[in-house]
Amino acid sequence: MRALHFLVLSLAAGGGGPGGGRPGADSARVATLLAALAHTDPVICDLIGDQLGNFWMGGEPGRLGRFDDAPDVQGAKDSLAGTITDPRAVSLLVATLGSANACVRRVAAKLLGRSAVSASVLRGLLDNASPRIRESAAFAAGVGERRETRASLEHLLADSATGPAAMAAWALGELEDPASAQALQGAVHASSARVRLASAWALGQFEDASFAKDVLPLLRDTDPVMRATAAEALGRMKSPRVGAALVGALTDRNVAVRRAAVSALAELRERSALAPLEGLLLDDPDTEVQRECARALGELRASRSLDPLARALANPDPEVQRAAAAAIGELEDVTKAPVALVRATTSPDRELRRNATKALAHIRDLTAVQALADRLGDEDKDVRLAAVEGLGEMKVAAAIPGLTRALNDREPEVRRAAAEALGKTQE
């Protein structure tokens, strides 16, 4: 923690001034960061490494939301998110790629990938004698999406060390250049499981159905991580020939594989999966699988799924209930609102109430006019708005009194919607 305290103080002292875009960090700032990370807890180091560059430059105006006595480090944060151009900083990052500390090495590679380092230097690092440096350079190439390194990364797929080869496959996936497909197709059959895993994931990034044949056998791999990754990749590829295999994966004993298979089938809009998905929605022991099933059934939009989705509104997990209500709102050719959905519009759970009201408005069941009218007094603006829009689409005289009251709603958006809805009703 003392190292992090030193880092904050150092950054505050070196923060950039206000104004427009800031340059990338200089060598002193990079050295301070790497030294502090080398002496802190590995978990903290990894968290910081993940977040580098994942924030808006400039922060909140006037530093709102910051404690009054907090040092102003925004300029330093911005510089670490920018493109590092200082030659000494770039040299320091290159020199750190062989560090024994994996987290510091990864942070250095991430910053290097987003720096002004030349392609020739990166290619040289990818051919370095040290496996650590080759792996770090591949990560830098992927983070920076350095397409000039594609050929070197393809060559690295055959590296005798697993780390560099697997990272090269990941980097090629980040580049998303179809020219690398043939090399990755070969790497899917590598002796290293980690290289096969990264190559399957990378092929999925191309979203090309012609590569499905290379990944499909991995659905039967003994490693559940491999099976889940294969299912995810197949969903991205959208091949019409993998539906049956993915439906089979719905019965996998591993939860992560089932989740991935559900999401993939939703991506594919696989109609043959309707019955198995409806069954998992109600019976799977994992609530996240159930939530994914509800979302998938909403994507498939089949009216036959109304009953299982309505039954899922009684699920003890609030997230499953919300997903089921939202999915009902996506179904086609539904004209009768289930009782459970009407009941859900009065739930104390605001998000469930909102989703249920939107679904009820989508169905346009004339017997549900009063249920929608009751929601015109809801405390949530989105619920009131959904009720107004739903009543407007129904175009029935019974909705006029409620819509007239909605003309006095405290929210301008609801008032405008009410005026439009009354116009439709009185046409």
Side-chain angles (χ1 to χ4, degrees), residues 197-228:
L197 179 73
S199 300
W201 174 85
L203 284 172
Q205 299 303 106
F206 298 147
E207 300 183 359
D208 188 326
S210 65
F211 307 136
K213 64 182 183 302
D214 301 290
V215 176
L216 190 59
L218 299 179
L219 274 181
R220 301 187 295 273
D221 197 272
T222 57
D223 179 11
V225 176
M226 185 75 79
R227 298 198 300 274

PDB file of all heavy atoms in Angstrom, residues 197-228:
ATOM      1  N   LEU A 197      -7.371 -23.538 -27.696  1.00  0.00           N
ATOM      2  CA  LEU A 197      -8.413 -22.689 -27.108  1.00  0.00           C
ATOM      3  C   LEU A 197      -8.368 -21.276 -27.686  1.00  0.00           C
ATOM      4  O   LEU A 197      -9.390 -20.736 -28.134  1.00  0.00           O
ATOM      5  CB  LEU A 197      -8.224 -22.634 -25.592  1.00  0.00           C
ATOM      6  CG  LEU A 197      -9.217 -21.778 -24.797  1.00  0.00           C
ATOM      7  CD1 LEU A 197     -10.571 -22.466 -24.751  1.00  0.00           C
ATOM      8  CD2 LEU A 197      -8.704 -21.531 -23.380  1.00  0.00           C
ATOM      9  N   ALA A 198      -7.181 -20.669 -27.696  1.00  0.00           N
ATOM     10  CA  ALA A 198      -7.038 -19.306 -28.214  1.00  0.00           C
ATOM     11  C   ALA A 198      -7.355 -19.236 -29.702  1.00  0.00           C
ATOM     12  O   ALA A 198      -7.949 -18.259 -30.174  1.00  0.00           O
ATOM     13  CB  ALA A 198      -5.617 -18.805 -27.956  1.00  0.00           C
ATOM     14  N   SER A 199      -6.999 -20.268 -30.442  1.00  0.00           N
ATOM     15  CA  SER A 199      -7.246 -20.284 -31.890  1.00  0.00           C
ATOM     16  C   SER A 199      -8.738 -20.403 -32.186  1.00  0.00           C
ATOM     17  O   SER A 199      -9.253 -19.758 -33.111  1.00  0.00           O
ATOM     18  CB  SER A 199      -6.475 -21.431 -32.541  1.00  0.00           C
ATOM     19  OG  SER A 199      -5.082 -21.279 -32.330  1.00  0.00           O
ATOM     20  N   ALA A 200      -9.435 -21.230 -31.411  1.00  0.00           N
ATOM     21  CA  ALA A 200     -10.887 -21.357 -31.594  1.00  0.00           C
ATOM     22  C   ALA A 200     -11.571 -20.028 -31.304  1.00  0.00           C
ATOM     23  O   ALA A 200     -12.461 -19.590 -32.051  1.00  0.00           O
ATOM     24  CB  ALA A 200     -11.433 -22.447 -30.680  1.00  0.00           C
ATOM     25  N   TRP A 201     -11.161 -19.384 -30.216  1.00  0.00           N
ATOM     26  CA  TRP A 201     -11.733 -18.074 -29.890  1.00  0.00           C
ATOM     27  C   TRP A 201     -11.454 -17.084 -31.019  1.00  0.00           C
ATOM     28  O   TRP A 201     -12.352 -16.324 -31.422  1.00  0.00           O
ATOM     29  CB  TRP A 201     -11.124 -17.564 -28.582  1.00  0.00           C
ATOM     30  CG  TRP A 201     -11.546 -16.170 -28.260  1.00  0.00           C
ATOM     31  CD1 TRP A 201     -12.680 -15.778 -27.614  1.00  0.00           C
ATOM     32  CD2 TRP A 201     -10.861 -14.959 -28.624  1.00  0.00           C
ATOM     33  NE1 TRP A 201     -12.742 -14.409 -27.540  1.00  0.00           N
ATOM     34  CE2 TRP A 201     -11.632 -13.883 -28.146  1.00  0.00           C
ATOM     35  CE3 TRP A 201      -9.665 -14.690 -29.283  1.00  0.00           C
ATOM     36  CZ2 TRP A 201     -11.244 -12.558 -28.326  1.00  0.00           C
ATOM     37  CZ3 TRP A 201      -9.283 -13.368 -29.460  1.00  0.00           C
ATOM     38  CH2 TRP A 201     -10.060 -12.313 -28.985  1.00  0.00           C
ATOM     39  N   ALA A 202     -10.230 -17.071 -31.530  1.00  0.00           N
ATOM     40  CA  ALA A 202      -9.849 -16.125 -32.582  1.00  0.00           C
ATOM     41  C   ALA A 202     -10.659 -16.354 -33.854  1.00  0.00           C
ATOM     42  O   ALA A 202     -11.107 -15.396 -34.497  1.00  0.00           O
ATOM     43  CB  ALA A 202      -8.352 -16.247 -32.874  1.00  0.00           C
ATOM     44  N   LEU A 203     -10.874 -17.598 -34.228  1.00  0.00           N
ATOM     45  CA  LEU A 203     -11.680 -17.882 -35.423  1.00  0.00           C
ATOM     46  C   LEU A 203     -13.109 -17.365 -35.241  1.00  0.00           C
ATOM     47  O   LEU A 203     -13.734 -16.904 -36.198  1.00  0.00           O
ATOM     48  CB  LEU A 203     -11.686 -19.390 -35.710  1.00  0.00           C
ATOM     49  CG  LEU A 203     -10.398 -19.951 -36.331  1.00  0.00           C
ATOM     50  CD1 LEU A 203     -10.462 -21.475 -36.383  1.00  0.00           C
ATOM     51  CD2 LEU A 203     -10.169 -19.393 -37.731  1.00  0.00           C
ATOM     52  N   GLY A 204     -13.608 -17.430 -34.025  1.00  0.00           N
ATOM     53  CA  GLY A 204     -14.940 -16.904 -33.765  1.00  0.00           C
ATOM     54  C   GLY A 204     -15.033 -15.407 -33.994  1.00  0.00           C
ATOM     55  O   GLY A 204     -16.095 -14.896 -34.361  1.00  0.00           O
ATOM     56  N   GLN A 205     -13.935 -14.701 -33.794  1.00  0.00           N
ATOM     57  CA  GLN A 205     -13.934 -13.250 -33.983  1.00  0.00           C
ATOM     58  C   GLN A 205     -14.180 -12.862 -35.432  1.00  0.00           C
ATOM     59  O   GLN A 205     -14.628 -11.753 -35.705  1.00  0.00           O
ATOM     60  CB  GLN A 205     -12.596 -12.655 -33.523  1.00  0.00           C
ATOM     61  CG  GLN A 205     -12.285 -12.872 -32.052  1.00  0.00           C
ATOM     62  CD  GLN A 205     -13.360 -12.324 -31.151  1.00  0.00           C
ATOM     63  OE1 GLN A 205     -14.155 -13.069 -30.569  1.00  0.00           O
ATOM     64  NE2 GLN A 205     -13.412 -11.024 -31.031  1.00  0.00           N
ATOM     65  N   PHE A 206     -13.905 -13.771 -36.369  1.00  0.00           N
ATOM     66  CA  PHE A 206     -14.102 -13.463 -37.786  1.00  0.00           C
ATOM     67  C   PHE A 206     -15.570 -13.542 -38.199  1.00  0.00           C
ATOM     68  O   PHE A 206     -15.944 -13.075 -39.272  1.00  0.00           O
ATOM     69  CB  PHE A 206     -13.281 -14.418 -38.664  1.00  0.00           C
ATOM     70  CG  PHE A 206     -11.790 -14.323 -38.438  1.00  0.00           C
ATOM     71  CD1 PHE A 206     -10.981 -15.438 -38.566  1.00  0.00           C
ATOM     72  CD2 PHE A 206     -11.198 -13.129 -38.095  1.00  0.00           C
ATOM     73  CE1 PHE A 206      -9.608 -15.364 -38.356  1.00  0.00           C
ATOM     74  CE2 PHE A 206      -9.828 -13.027 -37.884  1.00  0.00           C
ATOM     75  CZ  PHE A 206      -9.029 -14.156 -38.014  1.00  0.00           C
ATOM     76  N   GLU A 207     -16.391 -14.201 -37.364  1.00  0.00           N
ATOM     77  CA  GLU A 207     -17.828 -14.320 -37.642  1.00  0.00           C
ATOM     78  C   GLU A 207     -18.092 -14.872 -39.045  1.00  0.00           C
ATOM     79  O   GLU A 207     -18.944 -14.362 -39.780  1.00  0.00           O
ATOM     80  CB  GLU A 207     -18.520 -12.965 -37.433  1.00  0.00           C
ATOM     81  CG  GLU A 207     -18.365 -12.429 -36.013  1.00  0.00           C
ATOM     82  CD  GLU A 207     -19.092 -11.123 -35.774  1.00  0.00           C
ATOM     83  OE1 GLU A 207     -19.714 -10.621 -36.733  1.00  0.00           O
ATOM     84  OE2 GLU A 207     -19.060 -10.621 -34.647  1.00  0.00           O
ATOM     85  N   ASP A 208     -17.372 -15.905 -39.397  1.00  0.00           N
ATOM     86  CA  ASP A 208     -17.459 -16.506 -40.727  1.00  0.00           C
ATOM     87  C   ASP A 208     -17.882 -17.970 -40.583  1.00  0.00           C
ATOM     88  O   ASP A 208     -17.188 -18.778 -39.959  1.00  0.00           O
ATOM     89  CB  ASP A 208     -16.092 -16.421 -41.418  1.00  0.00           C
ATOM     90  CG  ASP A 208     -16.136 -16.844 -42.874  1.00  0.00           C
ATOM     91  OD1 ASP A 208     -16.925 -17.748 -43.210  1.00  0.00           O
ATOM     92  OD2 ASP A 208     -15.363 -16.278 -43.679  1.00  0.00           O
ATOM     93  N   ALA A 209     -19.024 -18.318 -41.177  1.00  0.00           N
ATOM     94  CA  ALA A 209     -19.578 -19.664 -41.026  1.00  0.00           C
ATOM     95  C   ALA A 209     -18.672 -20.745 -41.611  1.00  0.00           C
ATOM     96  O   ALA A 209     -18.752 -21.909 -41.217  1.00  0.00           O
ATOM     97  CB  ALA A 209     -20.950 -19.731 -41.696  1.00  0.00           C
ATOM     98  N   SER A 210     -17.788 -20.379 -42.534  1.00  0.00           N
ATOM     99  CA  SER A 210     -16.952 -21.401 -43.171  1.00  0.00           C
ATOM    100  C   SER A 210     -15.932 -22.010 -42.207  1.00  0.00           C
ATOM    101  O   SER A 210     -15.342 -23.052 -42.506  1.00  0.00           O
ATOM    102  CB  SER A 210     -16.229 -20.805 -44.389  1.00  0.00           C
ATOM    103  OG  SER A 210     -15.309 -19.805 -43.994  1.00  0.00           O
ATOM    104  N   PHE A 211     -15.704 -21.379 -41.058  1.00  0.00           N
ATOM    105  CA  PHE A 211     -14.737 -21.913 -40.095  1.00  0.00           C
ATOM    106  C   PHE A 211     -15.388 -22.798 -39.037  1.00  0.00           C
ATOM    107  O   PHE A 211     -14.705 -23.321 -38.158  1.00  0.00           O
ATOM    108  CB  PHE A 211     -13.980 -20.769 -39.408  1.00  0.00           C
ATOM    109  CG  PHE A 211     -13.337 -19.806 -40.365  1.00  0.00           C
ATOM    110  CD1 PHE A 211     -13.414 -18.441 -40.161  1.00  0.00           C
ATOM    111  CD2 PHE A 211     -12.640 -20.278 -41.476  1.00  0.00           C
ATOM    112  CE1 PHE A 211     -12.828 -17.555 -41.046  1.00  0.00           C
ATOM    113  CE2 PHE A 211     -12.050 -19.396 -42.370  1.00  0.00           C
ATOM    114  CZ  PHE A 211     -12.144 -18.032 -42.156  1.00  0.00           C
ATOM    115  N   ALA A 212     -16.699 -22.967 -39.120  1.00  0.00           N
ATOM    116  CA  ALA A 212     -17.401 -23.741 -38.102  1.00  0.00           C
ATOM    117  C   ALA A 212     -16.904 -25.182 -38.050  1.00  0.00           C
ATOM    118  O   ALA A 212     -16.818 -25.786 -36.981  1.00  0.00           O
ATOM    119  CB  ALA A 212     -18.910 -23.703 -38.367  1.00  0.00           C
ATOM    120  N   LYS A 213     -16.567 -25.720 -39.199  1.00  0.00           N
ATOM    121  CA  LYS A 213     -16.120 -27.122 -39.247  1.00  0.00           C
ATOM    122  C   LYS A 213     -14.844 -27.332 -38.446  1.00  0.00           C
ATOM    123  O   LYS A 213     -14.568 -28.449 -37.961  1.00  0.00           O
ATOM    124  CB  LYS A 213     -15.913 -27.547 -40.698  1.00  0.00           C
ATOM    125  CG  LYS A 213     -14.807 -26.805 -41.431  1.00  0.00           C
ATOM    126  CD  LYS A 213     -14.693 -27.230 -42.872  1.00  0.00           C
ATOM    127  CE  LYS A 213     -13.523 -26.544 -43.588  1.00  0.00           C
ATOM    128  NZ  LYS A 213     -13.623 -25.069 -43.548  1.00  0.00           N
ATOM    129  N   ASP A 214     -14.032 -26.289 -38.303  1.00  0.00           N
ATOM    130  CA  ASP A 214     -12.783 -26.405 -37.559  1.00  0.00           C
ATOM    131  C   ASP A 214     -13.010 -26.374 -36.054  1.00  0.00           C
ATOM    132  O   ASP A 214     -12.249 -26.966 -35.289  1.00  0.00           O
ATOM    133  CB  ASP A 214     -11.832 -25.266 -37.951  1.00  0.00           C
ATOM    134  CG  ASP A 214     -11.520 -25.266 -39.441  1.00  0.00           C
ATOM    135  OD1 ASP A 214     -10.804 -26.181 -39.890  1.00  0.00           O
ATOM    136  OD2 ASP A 214     -12.002 -24.366 -40.139  1.00  0.00           O
ATOM    137  N   VAL A 215     -14.045 -25.678 -35.642  1.00  0.00           N
ATOM    138  CA  VAL A 215     -14.308 -25.490 -34.210  1.00  0.00           C
ATOM    139  C   VAL A 215     -15.299 -26.511 -33.664  1.00  0.00           C
ATOM    140  O   VAL A 215     -15.250 -26.877 -32.488  1.00  0.00           O
ATOM    141  CB  VAL A 215     -14.824 -24.047 -33.966  1.00  0.00           C
ATOM    142  CG1 VAL A 215     -15.203 -23.830 -32.509  1.00  0.00           C
ATOM    143  CG2 VAL A 215     -13.759 -23.034 -34.387  1.00  0.00           C
ATOM    144  N   LEU A 216     -16.184 -26.990 -34.512  1.00  0.00           N
ATOM    145  CA  LEU A 216     -17.247 -27.894 -34.065  1.00  0.00           C
ATOM    146  C   LEU A 216     -16.747 -29.090 -33.257  1.00  0.00           C
ATOM    147  O   LEU A 216     -17.346 -29.431 -32.219  1.00  0.00           O
ATOM    148  CB  LEU A 216     -18.058 -28.359 -35.278  1.00  0.00           C
ATOM    149  CG  LEU A 216     -19.350 -29.120 -34.987  1.00  0.00           C
ATOM    150  CD1 LEU A 216     -20.300 -28.268 -34.161  1.00  0.00           C
ATOM    151  CD2 LEU A 216     -20.023 -29.533 -36.296  1.00  0.00           C
ATOM    152  N   PRO A 217     -15.673 -29.774 -33.651  1.00  0.00           N
ATOM    153  CA  PRO A 217     -15.214 -30.921 -32.858  1.00  0.00           C
ATOM    154  C   PRO A 217     -14.844 -30.572 -31.425  1.00  0.00           C
ATOM    155  O   PRO A 217     -14.884 -31.447 -30.539  1.00  0.00           O
ATOM    156  CB  PRO A 217     -13.981 -31.409 -33.641  1.00  0.00           C
ATOM    157  CG  PRO A 217     -14.190 -30.925 -35.041  1.00  0.00           C
ATOM    158  CD  PRO A 217     -14.868 -29.610 -34.893  1.00  0.00           C
ATOM    159  N   LEU A 218     -14.518 -29.316 -31.166  1.00  0.00           N
ATOM    160  CA  LEU A 218     -14.108 -28.911 -29.820  1.00  0.00           C
ATOM    161  C   LEU A 218     -15.281 -28.899 -28.846  1.00  0.00           C
ATOM    162  O   LEU A 218     -15.079 -28.829 -27.633  1.00  0.00           O
ATOM    163  CB  LEU A 218     -13.439 -27.546 -29.860  1.00  0.00           C
ATOM    164  CG  LEU A 218     -12.156 -27.463 -30.704  1.00  0.00           C
ATOM    165  CD1 LEU A 218     -11.607 -26.043 -30.691  1.00  0.00           C
ATOM    166  CD2 LEU A 218     -11.109 -28.438 -30.185  1.00  0.00           C
ATOM    167  N   LEU A 219     -16.516 -28.965 -29.354  1.00  0.00           N
ATOM    168  CA  LEU A 219     -17.672 -29.080 -28.469  1.00  0.00           C
ATOM    169  C   LEU A 219     -17.655 -30.395 -27.696  1.00  0.00           C
ATOM    170  O   LEU A 219     -18.349 -30.539 -26.687  1.00  0.00           O
ATOM    171  CB  LEU A 219     -18.982 -28.991 -29.267  1.00  0.00           C
ATOM    172  CG  LEU A 219     -19.561 -27.613 -29.557  1.00  0.00           C
ATOM    173  CD1 LEU A 219     -20.863 -27.769 -30.319  1.00  0.00           C
ATOM    174  CD2 LEU A 219     -19.784 -26.820 -28.280  1.00  0.00           C
ATOM    175  N   ARG A 220     -16.856 -31.361 -28.172  1.00  0.00           N
ATOM    176  CA  ARG A 220     -16.773 -32.668 -27.499  1.00  0.00           C
ATOM    177  C   ARG A 220     -15.482 -32.807 -26.689  1.00  0.00           C
ATOM    178  O   ARG A 220     -15.173 -33.901 -26.204  1.00  0.00           O
ATOM    179  CB  ARG A 220     -16.860 -33.789 -28.537  1.00  0.00           C
ATOM    180  CG  ARG A 220     -18.153 -33.767 -29.361  1.00  0.00           C
ATOM    181  CD  ARG A 220     -18.260 -35.000 -30.243  1.00  0.00           C
ATOM    182  NE  ARG A 220     -17.211 -35.039 -31.260  1.00  0.00           N
ATOM    183  CZ  ARG A 220     -17.298 -34.458 -32.446  1.00  0.00           C
ATOM    184  NH1 ARG A 220     -18.392 -33.770 -32.772  1.00  0.00           N
ATOM    185  NH2 ARG A 220     -16.309 -34.550 -33.323  1.00  0.00           N
ATOM    186  N   ASP A 221     -14.749 -31.711 -26.531  1.00  0.00           N
ATOM    187  CA  ASP A 221     -13.490 -31.756 -25.792  1.00  0.00           C
ATOM    188  C   ASP A 221     -13.742 -32.086 -24.323  1.00  0.00           C
ATOM    189  O   ASP A 221     -14.823 -31.803 -23.779  1.00  0.00           O
ATOM    190  CB  ASP A 221     -12.786 -30.396 -25.903  1.00  0.00           C
ATOM    191  CG  ASP A 221     -11.317 -30.471 -25.527  1.00  0.00           C
ATOM    192  OD1 ASP A 221     -11.009 -30.328 -24.331  1.00  0.00           O
ATOM    193  OD2 ASP A 221     -10.497 -30.694 -26.432  1.00  0.00           O
ATOM    194  N   THR A 222     -12.766 -32.688 -23.683  1.00  0.00           N
ATOM    195  CA  THR A 222     -12.921 -33.041 -22.262  1.00  0.00           C
ATOM    196  C   THR A 222     -12.881 -31.820 -21.346  1.00  0.00           C
ATOM    197  O   THR A 222     -13.366 -31.877 -20.213  1.00  0.00           O
ATOM    198  CB  THR A 222     -11.815 -34.024 -21.831  1.00  0.00           C
ATOM    199  OG1 THR A 222     -10.535 -33.433 -22.105  1.00  0.00           O
ATOM    200  CG2 THR A 222     -11.939 -35.343 -22.586  1.00  0.00           C
ATOM    201  N   ASP A 223     -12.286 -30.727 -21.828  1.00  0.00           N
ATOM    202  CA  ASP A 223     -12.157 -29.514 -21.016  1.00  0.00           C
ATOM    203  C   ASP A 223     -13.403 -28.653 -21.175  1.00  0.00           C
ATOM    204  O   ASP A 223     -13.732 -28.208 -22.280  1.00  0.00           O
ATOM    205  CB  ASP A 223     -10.920 -28.737 -21.457  1.00  0.00           C
ATOM    206  CG  ASP A 223     -10.723 -27.442 -20.677  1.00  0.00           C
ATOM    207  OD1 ASP A 223     -11.419 -27.251 -19.657  1.00  0.00           O
ATOM    208  OD2 ASP A 223      -9.873 -26.634 -21.083  1.00  0.00           O
ATOM    209  N   PRO A 224     -14.126 -28.348 -20.079  1.00  0.00           N
ATOM    210  CA  PRO A 224     -15.332 -27.532 -20.200  1.00  0.00           C
ATOM    211  C   PRO A 224     -15.065 -26.115 -20.702  1.00  0.00           C
ATOM    212  O   PRO A 224     -15.922 -25.528 -21.371  1.00  0.00           O
ATOM    213  CB  PRO A 224     -15.905 -27.523 -18.773  1.00  0.00           C
ATOM    214  CG  PRO A 224     -14.774 -27.907 -17.887  1.00  0.00           C
ATOM    215  CD  PRO A 224     -13.908 -28.816 -18.704  1.00  0.00           C
ATOM    216  N   VAL A 225     -13.894 -25.556 -20.393  1.00  0.00           N
ATOM    217  CA  VAL A 225     -13.558 -24.228 -20.898  1.00  0.00           C
ATOM    218  C   VAL A 225     -13.457 -24.255 -22.420  1.00  0.00           C
ATOM    219  O   VAL A 225     -13.915 -23.339 -23.113  1.00  0.00           O
ATOM    220  CB  VAL A 225     -12.243 -23.715 -20.280  1.00  0.00           C
ATOM    221  CG1 VAL A 225     -11.855 -22.370 -20.890  1.00  0.00           C
ATOM    222  CG2 VAL A 225     -12.372 -23.590 -18.768  1.00  0.00           C
ATOM    223  N   MET A 226     -12.888 -25.323 -22.939  1.00  0.00           N
ATOM    224  CA  MET A 226     -12.785 -25.477 -24.388  1.00  0.00           C
ATOM    225  C   MET A 226     -14.179 -25.611 -25.004  1.00  0.00           C
ATOM    226  O   MET A 226     -14.471 -24.986 -26.040  1.00  0.00           O
ATOM    227  CB  MET A 226     -11.952 -26.707 -24.741  1.00  0.00           C
ATOM    228  CG  MET A 226     -11.696 -26.895 -26.220  1.00  0.00           C
ATOM    229  SD  MET A 226     -10.462 -25.742 -26.860  1.00  0.00           S
ATOM    230  CE  MET A 226      -8.945 -26.553 -26.281  1.00  0.00           C
ATOM    231  N   ARG A 227     -15.027 -26.393 -24.373  1.00  0.00           N
ATOM    232  CA  ARG A 227     -16.379 -26.582 -24.917  1.00  0.00           C
ATOM    233  C   ARG A 227     -17.160 -25.265 -24.902  1.00  0.00           C
ATOM    234  O   ARG A 227     -17.854 -24.932 -25.865  1.00  0.00           O
ATOM    235  CB  ARG A 227     -17.129 -27.654 -24.114  1.00  0.00           C
ATOM    236  CG  ARG A 227     -16.494 -29.034 -24.155  1.00  0.00           C
ATOM    237  CD  ARG A 227     -17.459 -30.135 -23.741  1.00  0.00           C
ATOM    238  NE  ARG A 227     -17.970 -30.002 -22.393  1.00  0.00           N
ATOM    239  CZ  ARG A 227     -17.373 -30.460 -21.280  1.00  0.00           C
ATOM    240  NH1 ARG A 227     -16.190 -31.056 -21.373  1.00  0.00           N
ATOM    241  NH2 ARG A 227     -17.934 -30.325 -20.086  1.00  0.00           N
ATOM    242  N   ALA A 228     -17.038 -24.515 -23.821  1.00  0.00           N
ATOM    243  CA  ALA A 228     -17.755 -23.237 -23.736  1.00  0.00           C
ATOM    244  C   ALA A 228     -17.226 -22.238 -24.763  1.00  0.00           C
ATOM    245  O   ALA A 228     -17.998 -21.515 -25.407  1.00  0.00           O
ATOM    246  CB  ALA A 228     -17.623 -22.668 -22.324  1.00  0.00           C
TER     247      ALA A 228
END
